[in-house]
Amino acid sequence: MELVFLSYIIAALASYAALDLAGRVSLANGMSRNVWLTCGAVSMGLGIWSMHFVGMLAFVLPMHVSYSTKEVVLSVLLAIIASGVALNIAGQQSGKISKLLIAGLLMTAGISSMHYVGMAAMSIPITYKPGIVVLSILIAALASFAALWLMFYFRQRQSQYTWIYKMGSGLIMGLGISGMHYMGMSAAQFHNAHGTHDTMAGSIKQIEPSILAYLIAAGTFIALGLTLFGIFINQRLSQKDRRIRENEQWYQALYDNHSDAIISVDKQGAIKGINAAVTRITGYQEKEIIHRSIDEITQHVEIYGTVETHGVVWDDDRRDQQHFMGKMKNVQGHDLDLSIAVVPVLIDGKHQGSHILIKDVTEEKQAQESIRHQALHDPLTGLPNRRKLDEVLEETIHASTAAGSSFAVMVMDIDRFKMINDSLGHSVGDLFLREVSGRIMDAIQESDPQAADNVMLARMGGDEFTLVVTNEQGSEIRVAELAKQIVGAIQLPYRLKENDFYVTASIGIAMYPVHGTGSDALMKHADSAMYEVKKNGKNGYQFYTAQLDSELYERIELEGYLRKALERDEMVLYYQPQIRTEDSRMIGVEALIRWNHPLKGVLAPNVFIPIAEETGMIYEIGNWTLREACRQMKLWHASGGPLIPVSVNLSSQQFHQSNLVEQVKNALAETGLDATYLELEITESMMMDASVSTSILNELTALGVKISLDDFGTGYSSLSYLKHFPIHKLKIDRSFVTDITKSRSDQAIVATIISMAQHLKMDVIAEGIETKGQLDILMQNDCREIQGYYFSRPLPANEVEHDFFVPLRMHGTPSVL
């Protein structure tokens, strides 16, 4: 009974080993597959054969039995061959049914032959029952087909629980193989043959059963043990190999698909491999550069910046990475900016080569350059901005100090730009600034084409430009000639919105090192000179002088006081009477602002209004003037004074503020003055953008306010304004009146204006009348309204009341009352 159980255990272990070996054979190839196939066939064949002979020994016969060595060996070979066929078929990639059928038939024949050849090795006569023999062969076929199917099944489906399934299947297969054997044994009929034993013993070498049984068992367990141990070791090694293969595949995938180019070189610098990105970035094909020296590639790379580099080294044991920036042309001839890293490859602590990682940073570099350009240049004109100017100034100062040379800083402001920007809109203002910058550049080129590269033009913001002009001759003559050229170019007419407009430029110049050795001092002194030009009538240039410092300081001090003037109630309105020539009666007054400065006394508007316009304080001052003029006129009306209008000047900025109409409404509502007694004076420059100006003027007229066109004839606007705009009065500028007694041209202009106004049903008034001769000519040309010092200078409100609102005589004329 022990031998029967032993035979079953042997069959089960042999089956498990066969199932596991089938998977290993399928995974192996070449010599490894042949080794696994041979070892597996021997192990499985020995297992099946051992089960057979152990089972035979378990069969007790009443006579002595020995075994023929020849048949025993033959049966072993048949078992091994049958096992080899099974493993070979199961280990193939294809699992076709036809192959499984053929292999099953061959394995059935092998197992059956092994069994019955082994039975023939017994030294006693044996006969068989045919039916049972056929049944045993069918059992062998069933076991064979089951074994092959299970081998194929487990080869296709691997999981962590596969060994459990293999063990269970091995037990089932062992039962089938054992069943075939014992069914075949039950078909045998043994006969007693006296004398046969002695005769055969003398002629054939015999093996004693007791020895054979334990030799078979020992050999089988050793073979199976070695097989299983080999499987165990192989599993561990296979797991390690699998992890290594997986890691290699992960690394290879990273290497092949990395976005950066990777070139692998040995210690001698020979290229061992590249990834696809090398070809994509540089254009070099693998076959073109493989095994060549990396120096043949790097000689085309221009190194221009390093993070850390002492040269590219291949043949030492350095362990640190090298990083540097470079430029090269790819195969297509395009310039590339590259970030390059040399990473050493260490094997067992020894330097064996390097990976060169190359990243194409061309677009990144271009983006950085674009950002830097935007940071250092004006987006509107493309000129350098203040930050770039500061850099250039510092560099120029350093270079000039070293060379002992001089250079000039020219600060330029475009006069009347605010008028264009406010009246025509910012989009037209932008176009204007682009044209101005173009004209300046052209003027620089025309002034001295060979030295144009020595001039840098920057836009500081708004309408302010700055030039840095190197002066190799150490003379101011070239700088002055350039300034004159620019002033002339700027004052040419500009075609904007179908009309010609004229502006001028004010340029202040400071020379290094005479006027300063630092950038701040040079800019400050050039500014001072520029403001001096503006103060003296604009449209010109001036070099800095020490005297201008005190004037600039005074201007800055004045601005500080101006910011608090309204709060301290320092502003006051003066009123200049407007006289009717027919009877010398006062028919209106013009409100003129004065600043009662706490230290300087009463200041005229030409002193502080330009500052107010530059700083934005003009809005607050203008609104105060409007309210105060309305308040005073309403007070005069209420106290019995004449019902005459008050005229208030509007600045260009005030006229284009978004809430002008609302401010006028509020001033009238707060003071109670009727709108018909308010007259707003505007200039031609405010009407450059007809669509905007028409809307504003129509809204003001709808309120009942009168519109007077001040300084008529001094601008460059079209006479069509008089036709389309709701203008009630024209005011002849004092520039035409001053020389009217001497200039026939002025007389003609004045006569034309008066006649045109009368034909257009407009009132007309002349200002700046200072002499009897001027008055006579105006009266001869039928000018019915005048104002000027000949009748009265601008007066405070109380003096207007005293001089004009009480009966008295003045210059031989009757009282205005």
Side-chain angles (χ1 to χ4, degrees):
M1 188 63 186
E2 292 83 357
L3 290 176
V4 172
F5 181 72
L6 179 61
S7 69
Y8 171 70
I9 294 299
I10 292 172
L13 290 175
S15 299
Y16 174 81
L19 293 173
D20 193 79
L21 288 170
R24 312 214 172 269
V25 171
S26 68
L27 294 175
N29 52 55
M31 183 60 70
S32 176
R33 187 178 192 280
N34 294 333
V35 171
W36 274 112
L37 184 61
T38 302
C39 293
V42 171
S43 178
M44 182 178 177
L46 281 175
I48 297 174
W49 178 84
S50 298
M51 176 269 158
H52 167 75
F53 271 91
V54 171
M56 287 177 59
L57 292 175
F59 196 78
V60 179
L61 296 173
M63 70 287 290
H64 179 75
V65 179
S66 61
Y67 297 88
S68 170
T69 304
K70 180 179 178 181
E71 279 79 3
V72 169
V73 172
L74 180 58
S75 66
V76 171
L77 293 176
L78 290 171
I80 292 173
I81 291 172
S83 299
V85 170
L87 288 175
N88 186 48
I89 296 297
Q92 292 181 2
Q93 294 300 319
S94 175
K96 293 183 178 180
I97 299 298
S98 59
K99 288 188 177 183
L100 291 178
L101 289 174
I102 294 171
L105 291 174
L106 291 174
M107 188 172 179
T108 300
I111 292 175
S112 300
S113 299
M114 180 274 298
H115 175 78
Y116 287 105
V117 169
M119 293 288 288
M122 298 178 72
S123 60
I124 58 174
I126 305 174
T127 59
Y128 295 94
K129 299 176 183 179
I132 299 177
V133 170
V134 172
L135 181 59
S136 69
I137 293 174
L138 291 175
I139 294 174
L142 181 63
S144 298
F145 285 117
L148 288 170
W149 184 82
L150 288 171
M151 287 178 184
F152 179 75
Y153 178 82
F154 288 121
R155 178 171 65 81
Q156 297 289 344
R157 296 167 176 81
Q158 297 288 330
S159 70
Q160 58 180 336
Y161 302 109
T162 300
W163 70 273
I164 299 176
Y165 302 141
K166 286 181 181 179
M167 184 63 72
S169 300
L171 295 173
I172 296 173
M173 281 182 59
L175 188 61
I177 295 172
S178 299
M180 177 271 164
H181 169 76
Y182 287 110
M183 182 60 68
M185 291 291 290
S186 66
Q189 293 179 331
F190 302 95
H191 304 280
N192 191 5
H194 298 288
T196 302
H197 179 268
D198 295 333
T199 303
M200 293 179 66
S203 59
I204 301 174
K205 187 174 181 180
Q206 301 289 319
I207 301 174
E208 290 299 322
S210 58
I211 297 174
L212 179 61
Y214 290 103
L215 285 176
I216 289 170
T220 300
F221 276 113
I222 289 172
L224 291 173
L226 289 174
T227 300
L228 295 174
F229 180 73
I231 291 172
F232 172 75
I233 294 299
N234 180 260
Q235 285 178 334
R236 298 296 298 271
L237 293 176
S238 296
Q239 291 174 357
K240 184 176 181 180
D241 289 342
R242 186 165 56 252
R243 286 196 297 270
I244 292 174
R245 285 197 301 272
E246 288 177 355
N247 290 338
E248 289 177 348
Q249 291 171 355
W250 277 84
Y251 169 77
Q252 193 65 38
L254 176 63
Y255 186 91
D256 292 339
N257 300 299
H258 203 286
S259 59
D260 296 344
I262 304 176
I263 302 178
S264 301
V265 299
D266 60 17
K267 288 182 64 176
Q268 287 71 40
I271 298 174
K272 309 302 292 182
I274 67 173
N275 67 350
V278 173
T279 302
R280 175 174 54 80
I281 293 174
T282 68
Y284 290 111
Q285 300 292 330
E286 183 176 10
K287 62 183 179 181
E288 297 175 345
I289 61 175
I290 199 70
H291 304 311
R292 289 170 59 184
S293 172
I294 188 64
D295 293 334
E296 297 182 36
I297 306 299
T298 57
Q299 68 180 351
H300 301 295
V301 180
E302 175 190 350
I303 304 301
Y304 64 85
T306 63
V307 178
E308 177 203 352
T309 179
H310 306 289
V312 181
V313 182
W314 316 112
D315 57 357
D316 68 352
D317 289 335
R318 66 181 296 155
R319 298 164 182 263
D320 55 319
Q321 296 185 14
Q322 302 173 79
H323 297 85
F324 47 93
M325 304 296 294
K327 278 183 174 292
M328 71 171 292
K329 288 185 180 293
N330 62 12
V331 173
Q332 291 77 27
H334 300 146
D335 290 322
L336 301 177
D337 284 286
L338 304 175
S339 172
I340 305 172
V342 180
V343 182
V345 176
L346 304 177
I347 301 177
D348 296 329
K350 295 183 178 179
H351 180 236
Q352 299 298 327
S354 301
H355 291 307
I356 304 174
L357 278 66
I358 304 173
K359 183 177 182 180
D360 183 1
V361 294
T362 306
E363 292 185 1
E364 180 181 336
K365 188 82 172 175
Q366 291 173 347
Q368 291 175 350
E369 290 296 328
S370 176
I371 292 171
R372 174 172 172 76
H373 184 274
Q374 292 174 13
L376 297 176
H377 290 77
D378 170 47
L380 177 63
T381 62
L383 297 175
N385 60 12
R386 182 181 294 273
R387 182 181 296 180
K388 180 65 176 177
L389 175 70
D390 291 341
E391 290 184 6
V392 172
L393 265 179
E394 292 298 330
E395 293 170 1
T396 307
I397 289 171
H398 180 76
S400 297
T401 302
S405 60
S406 66
F407 68 92
V409 175
M410 303 170 62
V411 173
M412 179 191 324
D413 189 82
I414 307 302
D415 308 318
R416 303 184 77 212
F417 166 71
K418 286 184 174 61
M419 172 264 295
I420 292 178
N421 202 46
D422 293 342
S423 60
L424 299 184
H426 294 295
S427 58
V428 176
D430 290 345
L431 291 173
F432 170 77
L433 287 173
R434 290 194 190 98
E435 184 170 347
V436 167
S437 63
R439 289 192 186 187
I440 298 172
M441 294 299 294
D442 291 342
I444 293 171
Q445 187 69 28
E446 293 172 6
S447 174
D448 189 348
Q450 295 181 346
D453 292 339
N454 296 326
V455 180
M456 189 204 76
L457 172 64
R459 181 182 175 223
M460 309 299 286
D463 60 343
E464 186 177 345
F465 297 84
T466 299
L467 293 88
V468 177
V469 185
T470 59
N471 188 6
E472 298 174 356
Q473 292 77 24
S475 168
E476 295 181 358
I477 297 176
R478 176 170 167 263
V479 176
E481 285 297 325
L482 176 59
K484 188 182 300 182
Q485 192 92 14
I486 293 172
V487 169
I490 295 298
Q491 66 184 2
L492 295 176
Y494 297 81
R495 192 67 177 172
L496 302 172
K497 284 198 171 184
E498 305 303 324
N499 288 292
D500 289 338
F501 295 91
Y502 294 80
V503 298
T504 57
S506 299
I507 301 177
I509 308 170
M511 299 295 298
Y512 172 91
V514 178
H515 300 149
T517 56
S519 58
D520 290 342
L522 289 169
M523 290 293 294
K524 174 187 172 184
H525 293 159
D527 260 336
S528 299
M530 185 265 290
Y531 281 114
E532 182 67 13
V533 176
K534 281 185 171 294
K535 190 177 75 172
N536 293 331
K538 307 176 181 178
N539 193 32
Y541 66 91
Q542 179 168 326
F543 286 88
Y544 168 80
T545 61
Q547 180 184 352
L548 298 178
D549 268 347
S550 60
E551 295 177 359
L552 178 62
Y553 177 78
E554 181 180 353
R555 182 182 180 279
I556 294 173
E557 184 182 42
L558 202 62
E559 179 182 328
Y561 276 98
L562 183 60
R563 292 187 180 278
K564 298 180 180 179
L566 287 177
E567 179 184 328
R568 294 173 176 174
D569 199 23
E570 294 173 356
M571 292 296 174
V572 62
L573 289 187
Y574 278 41
Y575 301 90
Q576 187 172 36
Q578 296 173 334
I579 307 299
R580 187 168 58 203
T581 58
E582 180 183 353
D583 53 10
S584 298
R585 294 184 68 86
M586 185 169 65
I587 45 91
V589 292
E590 180 181 3
L592 299 169
I593 192 169
R594 299 290 187 268
W595 179 14
N596 191 10
H597 193 282
L599 301 178
K600 299 179 182 294
V602 178
L603 300 179
N606 65 311
V607 176
F608 61 89
I609 289 299
I611 299 175
E613 289 178 337
E614 291 178 16
T615 58
M617 289 186 282
I618 190 65
Y619 297 109
E620 189 176 358
I621 292 175
N623 292 333
W624 177 87
T625 301
L626 181 64
R627 291 194 304 273
E628 178 60 19
C630 291
R631 184 196 67 79
Q632 183 62 63
M633 184 52 67
K634 178 61 177 178
L635 181 62
W636 282 336
H637 289 176
S639 61
L643 297 179
I644 57 176
V646 62
S647 179
V648 179
N649 288 280
L650 293 180
S651 70
S652 177
Q653 295 180 44
Q654 190 180 7
F655 179 76
H656 288 99
Q657 66 181 333
S658 59
N659 62 343
L660 172 64
V661 177
E662 192 68 29
Q663 291 288 347
V664 173
K665 284 183 180 179
N666 291 339
L668 293 172
E670 289 175 12
T671 61
L673 180 68
D674 191 284
T676 57
Y677 296 109
L678 175 62
E679 188 174 280
L680 297 178
E681 292 192 14
I682 62 173
T683 61
E684 291 175 284
S685 62
M686 299 180 191
M687 299 185 293
M688 290 180 179
D689 191 338
S691 59
V692 175
S693 302
T694 301
S695 175
I696 296 173
L697 293 175
N698 285 335
E699 289 187 61
L700 291 173
T701 303
L703 294 177
V705 174
K706 300 293 189 298
I707 304 298
S708 174
L709 189 57
D710 195 10
D711 299 338
F712 182 75
T714 61
Y716 306 96
S717 58
S718 170
L719 292 177
S720 64
Y721 293 156
L722 301 180
K723 175 181 177 182
H724 296 293
F725 292 152
I727 298 172
H728 305 92
K729 181 184 289 186
L730 296 183
K731 196 170 193 179
I732 301 174
D733 187 69
R734 68 178 62 247
S735 62
F736 300 122
V737 175
T738 302
D739 296 326
I740 196 172
T741 58
K742 304 174 185 177
S743 172
R744 292 187 175 275
S745 297
D746 287 344
Q747 291 178 19
I749 291 173
V750 169
T752 301
I753 294 175
I754 295 171
S755 176
M756 180 179 61
Q758 291 175 346
H759 281 86
L760 291 173
K761 307 300 182 185
M762 294 181 182
D763 295 331
V764 61
I765 185 172
E767 65 176 352
I769 313 303
E770 297 182 355
T771 66
K772 180 72 165 57
Q774 294 170 342
L775 175 62
D776 290 342
I777 293 175
L778 288 170
M779 292 180 68
Q780 290 171 10
N781 286 280
D782 201 20
C783 183
R784 301 166 187 172
E785 298 178 10
I786 58 173
Q787 71 179 81
Y789 276 40
Y790 179 73
F791 286 97
S792 174
R793 60 183 175 83
L795 301 171
N798 62 338
E799 292 188 25
V800 172
E801 295 173 10
H802 181 271
D803 292 348
F804 290 93
F805 291 178
V806 294
L808 53 85
R809 299 190 61 82
M810 184 177 189
H811 299 292
T813 61
S815 169
V816 298
L817 295 180

